[in-house]
Amino acid sequence: MLLDRITQPSDLKSLDLAQLEQLAQEIREFLITTLSSTGGHLAPNLGVVELTLALHYLFDSPNDKLIFDVGHQAYVHKLLTGRKDRFSTLRKYKGLCGFVKRSESEHDVWEAGHSSTSLSAAMGMAAARDLQGKKNKVVALIGDGALTGGMAFEALNHIGHEKKNLTVVLNDNEMSIAPNVGALHNYLCKVRSDKTYIKTKEEVESLLKKVPAIGGTLAAWAEKVKDSLKYLVVSGVLFEELGYTYFGPIDGHHLSALLETFRQAEKVEGPVLVHVVTTKGKGYAPAEADSHTWHGLGAYKIESGQVVKSAGPPMYTEVFGKTLIELAERDERIVAVTPAMPSGSGLIKFAEKFPNRMIDVGIAEQHAATMCAAMAMEGMKPVFAVYSTFLQRAYDQVVHDIARQNLNVVFAIDRAGFVGPDGETHHGVYDIAYLRHVPNMTIMMPKDENELRHMLYTAVQYDGGPIAVRYPRIQGTGAPWNDELRTLPIGRWETVRDGDDAVVLAVGPMVQLALEAAEKLAAEGVSLRVVNARFLKPLDAAMLSALADERLPIVTIEEGASAGGFGGAVLEWMSGHGVYDVPVRVMGVPDAFIEHGSIQEQRAEVGLTSDRLAETVRTMRAGVQASYAAKPLMTGTNK
C-alpha cells in the first residue's frame, strides 16, 4: 500500500498523479474501515481527501501553515503526518484527538473545536510572518457552514483590507457544478493569475485616463463593462469586492484541477480565495446519501451502513425533543431556535411538525441569542437549544440583551458536563460558572429524564425572566414518565434519600452517583442523606438554613467547574449567613482541561466517582469527630 509509505508530507512529493489518485482511494478505504470501530467524523473527512492531498503535495508543512477550521475534517491530515499507526486509538482515552492537536504533531499549527476561527488565525499568522520578515505560506481551510459564523466575516473583511498574502480555501460541500460552468471558471482562474494580463489591464486603464477631456469617462466606462462581465460570470464577486482574487468553483475531487488551481493561485499577490466544491461522505454510499447522520457518529457496520446503537433508555436529547413537541402543541408561542444543530439538539421531528416555528440560524450563536431576546420581547416563548460549549460564544448577548432586559428566553443547554470522545473543546463544564452570576438568571438540572420533562414545562410556563435547563449527553436512568407535566417550585430542592451522618448536595447525573455512594456507606453503618439540588440558581435557602442548624458535614458534587460552580455558590451562602462551623467539601471539575475519552474515564480522572465520594464522606466524618472530641459543640443557631 502507498499509504504505508507515507510518514510525513514530504513523502508525497515523489508521487505522480496516478499514484496520488491511488493514495486517495486507499485513504478512503482506511477511514471507512477504521472509523467503523472507533466512530468519528466520517463524512467530513471523506469529502476532503483529494483537497488535503493537494495541499500537502504543494505546500511545505509545517513551515507553511495549514490551518483547519474546527479540525474535525483533519483525519486525512493526520494520516499524512505520521499518525496512521495510532488511528485505532482515535477519540479514545489517551489516544489520538478527534481534532487538530498541537501536542500531537508539529504539523498541527492551530487547535479548534469550534467553527469560524481559521481565518482570524490565518490573519494572525500572516501578520506575524510579515513582521518577522519570513516568507512562508499561510493557508486557511474553512467550510461553507463555518462561513456563516460572524467571526469569519470579520476576518474576511480584515484580510481583504490588509491585502495579506494568504490563501483561503472555501470547502463547499453543498452545491454542484455543471461541467461547462466549471470549465469557464477554470479558464478565468488562469486568466486572472496571468501577470501579463493583470499588467496589461493596468496599462490600458492608465492610457485611457490620459486621453484629453474624455479619458476619465472612458476609463470609468471600461471599468463598468469589466464589472458587468464579472457579475455575469463570476460567482465569487462578493469575495472580489472584499479584496480577494477568486478562483473557482473547482471540483474538489479532481486532483489535477486542484493542483493546477493552487499553482495558479500562488502567482497572485494579495489574498486569494479558492472555492472548492466537494461531496460530503464521498466514496461511501451511506455517508453520501445522509451526510447529516454521518457527520459524526459512533461505530457502524461497513456493509450495511447500520449505526450501532446501545440499548437502554433514551438519550436526554431525545427526551427534550419529544417533550418540546408536546409543549408546542399546547402553546403556539413556543419557537425552537438552534445554531446549526437541529439534529444534534434533537429538533428534527420538531422541525417536521412545526416548520414555521423552527429556526436554524446557522453557526451564529450570538445572533441566535439576540434574536431570541427580541422574539421574547414581542410575546413569543423562544427555546434556544444549544450545546453548553457553543453557548459560551453568545455570552455577551446572554448578559446584555437577554438577562439585562429580563426577557423570557428558555435556554435548553445540551451536552452539560463531560461529553466523552469530543474532548476538551466540547465539554459543557463551564456554563454554571458563567451563568449563575448573571442577574435575573434561573438555572435547573434534572436528576433523570422524567424530571427533565417537568423542568421544560416549568421553563415555558415561567415568566420571571431567562431560565436555563441543562442536561447531559448520556442516556437517561430509565425513570418512568409522568403523563401529566407539572410546574416545579422555583428554588426548591428534593431529598431523595434520608440520612443522619452526612449530606451530599448532588447536581444532575451526580444524584445517581451519590445514591451509589450512599449504598456503599450504608454497608458500613454510615447514613448518607442525598439531596437532588435541581436548582443551581436560586439556591434552596430554606434547606440550607436547616442544614446549617443540623451541622452535618456537607459535600457538594457537580460535573462542572469547581471554580465558580454550584459548590462555590453553597459556600458563598454559608459565608453570607455567618455559618462558619459546618464543614463543606466541594467536588467538581478541577482547574484543567480534560482530554477526550469516555465520560466514565473523564469522571474517574477528576474523582467524580461513587468510591471517591464515599471516601470523601468518610474523611470528613473522621475530621468532624476528631474536632468535636477536642472541642465542645456550640449551642444555638449558626445562622
Side-chain angles (χ1 to χ4, degrees):
M1 287 180 60
L2 281 173
L3 183 56
D4 291 334
R5 292 159 44 186
I6 307 300
T7 61
Q8 55 189 344
S10 59
D11 294 336
L12 298 173
K13 310 297 185 183
S14 62
L15 302 182
D16 58 27
L17 183 61
Q19 289 175 311
L20 288 174
E21 291 173 342
Q22 177 187 336
L23 180 58
Q25 181 60 31
E26 291 181 8
I27 289 173
R28 278 199 170 85
E29 292 172 357
F30 179 87
L31 289 176
I32 292 168
T33 301
T34 304
L35 269 61
S36 68
S37 59
T38 66
H41 293 89
L42 180 65
N45 286 282
L46 292 179
V48 297
V49 175
E50 289 84 3
L51 176 56
T52 309
L53 275 171
L55 291 173
H56 272 300
Y57 184 79
L58 291 176
F59 293 95
D60 181 25
S61 176
N63 181 52
D64 292 335
K65 310 301 179 185
L66 301 185
I67 303 168
F68 291 84
D69 201 277
V70 185
H72 61 238
Q73 80 287 48
Y75 294 4
V76 183
H77 163 77
K78 287 176 182 275
L79 287 174
L80 299 177
T81 52
R83 285 169 272 183
K84 174 179 174 291
D85 292 342
R86 296 184 61 201
F87 246 75
S88 61
T89 70
L90 184 70
R91 291 160 51 89
K92 295 181 179 179
Y93 193 60
K94 303 299 182 182
L96 281 181
C97 180
F99 299 89
V100 175
K101 187 76 172 172
R102 293 170 65 208
S103 61
E104 279 186 10
S105 172
E106 63 178 349
H107 298 281
D108 290 8
V109 300
W110 177 254
E111 289 186 15
H114 294 178
S115 76
S116 313
T117 67
S118 62
L119 301 186
S120 296
M123 177 60 198
M125 290 187 183
R129 173 200 62 197
D130 294 348
L131 289 169
Q132 296 169 7
K134 297 179 180 178
K135 300 297 181 183
N136 61 283
K137 311 292 176 55
V138 177
V139 182
L141 178 66
I142 187 169
D144 56 327
L147 203 61
T148 65
M151 185 176 175
F153 282 98
E154 294 174 17
L156 275 175
N157 179 62
H158 188 213
I159 293 168
H161 174 74
E162 294 290 342
K163 305 295 183 186
K164 292 294 182 185
N165 286 335
L166 61 83
T167 299
V168 175
V169 180
L170 173 57
N171 175 31
D172 180 354
N173 51 36
E174 288 297 331
M175 75 181 267
S176 58
I177 320 165
N180 57 335
V181 175
L184 173 61
H185 280 289
N186 288 339
Y187 169 75
L188 290 173
C189 287
K190 294 181 180 179
V191 172
R192 278 202 196 91
S193 64
D194 189 289
K195 292 183 178 179
T196 303
Y197 170 72
I198 294 171
K199 184 177 180 182
T200 300
K201 285 199 303 181
E202 295 171 349
E203 289 176 349
V204 168
E205 184 175 355
S206 178
L207 286 170
L208 286 174
K209 287 181 177 179
K210 291 178 182 179
V211 177
I214 62 170
T217 302
L218 284 174
W221 174 80
E223 187 66 26
K224 287 183 179 179
V225 171
K226 183 189 74 173
D227 283 346
S228 297
L229 291 172
K230 181 170 66 175
Y231 278 87
L232 180 65
V233 300
V234 180
S235 61
V237 66
L238 168 65
F239 302 111
E240 295 223 341
E241 293 298 332
L242 285 172
Y244 295 76
T245 300
Y246 173 85
F247 291 80
I250 309 298
D251 183 350
H253 304 296
H254 195 300
L255 262 170
S256 62
L258 287 169
L259 294 171
E260 178 62 18
T261 300
F262 285 126
R263 289 190 181 105
Q264 296 294 337
E266 281 302 295
K267 301 177 183 178
V268 177
E269 286 294 316
V272 171
L273 188 138
V274 180
H275 182 179
V276 178
V277 178
T278 61
T279 299
K280 213 171 178 182
K282 178 73 173 178
Y284 185 53
E288 286 192 43
D290 184 8
S291 61
H292 206 92
T293 297
W294 290 79
H295 173 81
L297 74 171
Y300 55 90
K301 297 178 181 178
I302 298 176
E303 295 77 14
S304 64
Q306 180 183 355
V307 179
V308 179
K309 294 184 178 180
S310 56
M315 300 287 286
Y316 277 87
T317 302
E318 182 182 349
V319 176
F320 160 74
K322 289 182 177 179
T323 306
L324 193 63
I325 290 175
E326 291 180 37
L327 297 174
E329 288 173 338
R330 308 179 191 180
D331 191 341
E332 293 183 352
R333 299 175 304 158
I334 293 175
V335 178
V337 178
T338 184
M341 299 303 294
S343 177
S345 293
L347 292 172
I348 295 298
K349 292 182 179 179
F350 183 97
E352 293 171 354
K353 191 170 183 63
F354 306 106
N356 296 329
R357 292 159 65 186
M358 165 68 187
I359 304 174
D360 182 354
V361 302
I363 301 175
E365 294 88 357
Q366 294 171 299
H367 163 61
T370 297
M371 186 183 74
C372 285
M375 294 182 75
M377 193 176 288
E378 294 301 309
M380 301 300 288
K381 184 68 74 165
V383 177
F384 186 14
V386 59
Y387 292 9
S388 171
T389 186
F390 298 144
L391 182 59
Q392 295 165 189
R393 313 189 90 189
Y395 177 75
D396 177 64
Q397 287 68 33
V398 171
V399 175
H400 184 274
D401 299 333
I402 297 176
R404 187 181 58 83
Q405 301 187 90
N406 201 31
L407 298 172
N408 296 321
V409 175
V410 176
F411 294 92
I413 305 177
D414 202 339
R415 272 69 168 173
F418 288 128
V419 297
D422 280 342
E424 66 226 78
T425 59
H426 283 61
H427 290 319
V429 298
Y430 306 113
D431 61 274
I432 299 174
Y434 70 69
L435 288 179
R436 78 170 183 85
H437 64 256
V438 178
N440 297 327
M441 183 67 68
T442 296
I443 309 171
M444 302 180 281
M445 189 170 194
K447 69 178 185 298
D448 57 39
E449 60 270 42
N450 185 50
E451 191 169 51
L452 170 60
R453 288 169 49 78
H454 296 305
M455 284 187 174
L456 287 169
Y457 179 74
T458 301
V460 298
Q461 296 297 315
Y462 183 70
D463 286 326
I467 186 167
V469 183
R470 60 192 309 271
Y471 44 94
R473 187 192 187 187
I474 58 175
Q475 289 180 310
T477 64
W481 292 13
N482 298 128
D483 292 331
E484 184 176 348
L485 295 173
R486 67 179 187 275
T487 301
L488 302 178
I490 301 296
R492 291 292 182 86
W493 295 343
E494 172 191 38
T495 299
V496 295
R497 179 178 177 128
D498 287 322
D500 300 321
D501 293 325
V503 180
V504 57
L505 306 179
V507 175
M510 298 296 100
V511 172
Q512 297 300 316
L513 186 148
L515 290 171
E516 294 172 12
E519 284 294 323
K520 295 175 181 179
L521 290 168
E524 305 169 13
V526 177
S527 176
L528 178 65
R529 187 183 310 171
V530 177
V531 173
N532 171 23
R534 56 193 178 186
F535 282 89
L536 295 88
K537 184 183 181 182
L539 302 178
D540 189 334
M543 184 176 289
L544 284 172
S545 181
L547 290 174
D549 282 339
E550 288 188 74
R551 303 173 69 175
L552 296 176
I554 297 174
V555 181
T556 70
I557 186 165
E558 60 196 298
E559 197 171 80
S562 294
F566 167 72
V570 171
L571 289 170
E572 289 165 11
W573 189 95
M574 293 288 184
S575 174
H577 289 76
V579 180
Y580 303 121
D581 56 355
V582 173
V584 179
R585 181 71 60 84
V586 173
M587 293 182 67
V589 179
D591 189 19
F593 291 108
I594 309 304
E595 296 190 351
H596 52 281
S598 69
I599 291 177
Q600 291 71 26
E601 288 167 329
Q602 289 158 347
R603 288 177 179 173
E605 181 175 327
V606 300
L608 294 178
T609 65
S610 59
D611 286 340
R612 182 67 67 85
L613 175 57
E615 181 58 33
T616 299
V617 171
R618 293 187 197 101
T619 301
M620 291 186 72
R621 291 191 70 244
V624 169
Q625 290 169 352
S627 175
Y628 286 175
K631 182 179 179 180
L633 291 175
M634 296 172 59
T635 58
T637 181
N638 291 289
K639 292 181 289 182

